[in-house]
Amino acid sequence: RYLLEQDFPGMRIGPEPTTDSFIAVMYGETEGNVPGNALVVDPKKPFRKLGRFGNAFLNRFMCSQLPNEVLKSISIIDSPGILSGEKQRISRGYDFCQVLQWFAERVDRIILLFDAHKLDISDEFSEAIKAFRGQDDKIRVVLNKADQVDTQQLMRVYGALMWSLGKVIDTPEVLRVYIGSFWAHPLRNTDNRRLFEAEAQDLFKDIQSLPQKAAVRKLNDLIKRARLAKVHAYIISYLKKEMPSMFGKENKKKELINKLPEIYIQLQREYHISAGDFPEVKKMQEQLENCDFTKFHSLKPKLIEAVDNMLANKIASLMNLIRQEESNMPTEMVHGGAFDGTMAGPFGHGYGEGAKEGADEEEWVVAKDKPAYDEIFYTLSPVNGKISGISAKKEMVTSKLPNSVLGKIWKLADCDGDGMLDDEEFALAKHLIKIKLDGYELPGSLPSHLVPPSHRKPFQTAE
């Protein structure tokens, strides 16, 4: 709702778990709903394989179509509210985690939403997160309603969230958590406004980059699937080879299923495969229970060779083609909704801050602090109205900024490139040091509004 800036059919927002269905929010010329059973038989939609989850799921699945600019670039799957307490013990009628896993394998980004007031990770939420195993690179976390707590409480809430996530997600890397208040209402607590703006901007950049990288991600998924298929072939052919031709088939099958972890280790050594490429042992054992091992196929080295050839050679040329195509096409970004509100005008991110301060003012922004800078300037014994690089260095190093940063500041401040600074250039250097000490980035080249007044005409002519 926050990203689209408009209601969509089937949407209901409330403090309780309101969404009881999976809603695919997609672009359409007219606003309307398509129920799940009709959706899985539509050849134009990518949901046909969801039919295997049965009627109980399809009755809880729908597509909301609306003519929204944001949805021209991305589609959103809104999942049902996670249950906690007694409610989660009542079956939903379909395998919730299996459905989540199906979507997780096909989406480009998974966003886990937490309330600053309700950090408890219930059993169902824990199971849902475990369903995303192997998709860790897609996961982002949003800590919402952070304006309802003060700074001290927010720090504790963030720490508690990271601790809880660490127990559920088994990776040593820390997940990226975006903190903010993602709705269009006034902030209840404005102490952290700047933090929320920066976090929202980072989240928007992350989502906006998705259409650009879609082709590369599809290729990445293809490589992943090829590797898994190859490993699967090794496992299946090994089980086939070990089966007796006449008697004791059932006993041998049970023995092989129990020995699966040892078989994995043997195949790892024999074919030099990483342990991470093998399917989960327990899940594989469950699936093998219902299989007839004698009907499995033997290993076909030519097919394995073809897959290896594809991974070694053809993928590289495909990658080059994608890069060429991306460089020739205009940069595809997500537009509309909340994304447009942070791009233009004085409310764009960073407007009027750091190096952009004073961009729309007639007076030189450094002038207000220049009297204080002039006092320092005249203590450095200027000759003919200028101080040498050595004198400037003695003053500039008192900022404790590293030499690489001070060198960049010197390059920006020495407008005429004579290796010396006059009073205006020195004031500019001090202003740039202040920008950096305040935590902002330095500009790559000097913006026109920061050029000292006495250097403007020759500087602009040189340009």
Side-chain angles (χ1 to χ4, degrees), residues 2-6 27 67-76 207 211 333-340:
Y2 175 73
L3 295 178
L4 301 180
E5 290 190 341
Q6 76 175 91
Y27 183 80
N68 186 292
E69 189 74 20
V70 174
L71 299 173
K72 283 183 178 178
S73 311
I74 55 171
S75 295
I76 302 165
I207 296 171
M333 297 284 271
V334 181
H335 291 286
F339 296 96
D340 284 354

Side-chain angles (χ1 to χ4, degrees), residues 73-74 207-215 217 332-334:
S73 311
I74 55 171
I207 296 171
Q208 282 182 310
S209 68
L210 294 177
Q212 279 174 272
K213 298 171 185 168
R217 266 194 312 277
E332 197 180 340
M333 297 284 271
V334 181

Side-chain angles (χ1 to χ4, degrees), residues 375-388 391 420:
E375 282 184 30
I376 302 167
F377 178 78
Y378 289 111
T379 62
L380 299 172
S381 313
V383 177
N384 297 327
K386 293 193 174 192
I387 55 168
S388 66
S391 302
M420 302 177 90

Side-chain angles (χ1 to χ4, degrees), residues 191-208:
D191 294 353
N192 300 307
R193 184 185 183 116
R194 205 169 135 197
L195 168 71
F196 298 161
E197 283 172 2
E199 291 284 282
Q201 198 65 26
D202 285 355
L203 180 61
F204 286 171
K205 277 181 189 166
D206 187 62
I207 296 171
Q208 282 182 310

